[in-house]
Amino acid sequence: MVDKVRIKKYQQTKVKQWSNALEVPETRFVEDAVNFYLKHLEGKLQLDLTPTVVSQPTTPVKIEPEIADDDDSLDDFTGGIEL
């Protein structure tokens, strides 16, 4: 059984941002993310797909594409999170 999860350097800032935004510890965020993904893979994930109506026009936002990092070498990892 795995008791540590390695987070790539480029993902660490997002994990920190989301855990802060959700006001949960990083370990809890990672644990919930893994549970979410496993439910998705098992086909048990149910999402609320009710559309929401935006009453005011929004301004376009330019989104920069993320750089894919397919290198899984241990040099790209720093530490880990105890689950």
Side-chain angles (χ1 to χ4, degrees):
M1 187 61 151
V2 177
D3 59 357
K4 282 192 176 185
V5 176
R6 293 179 187 245
I7 306 295
K8 288 192 174 187
K9 290 178 184 177
Y10 76 92
Q11 294 171 324
Q12 289 177 356
T13 56
K14 290 183 181 185
V15 169
K16 187 176 294 271
Q17 287 173 344
W18 276 107
S19 64
N20 288 338
L22 296 170
E23 297 178 348
V24 296
E26 290 178 28
T27 55
R28 176 63 190 263
F29 175 78
V30 172
E31 183 179 357
D32 288 348
V34 169
N35 287 333
F36 178 87
Y37 187 65
L38 291 175
K39 285 181 183 178
H40 170 72
L41 291 175
E42 294 169 355
K44 297 179 182 176
L45 183 64
Q46 295 199 3
L47 298 175
D48 180 14
L49 299 178
T50 307
T52 56
V53 178
V54 178
S55 60
Q56 298 179 16
T58 58
T59 56
V61 177
K62 183 177 179 182
I63 299 175
E64 297 292 327
E66 287 191 32
I67 299 172
D69 185 11
D70 294 333
D71 181 18
D72 287 336
S73 69
L74 291 178
D75 296 336
D76 291 335
F77 295 101
T78 59
I81 297 176
E82 294 280 340
L83 295 178

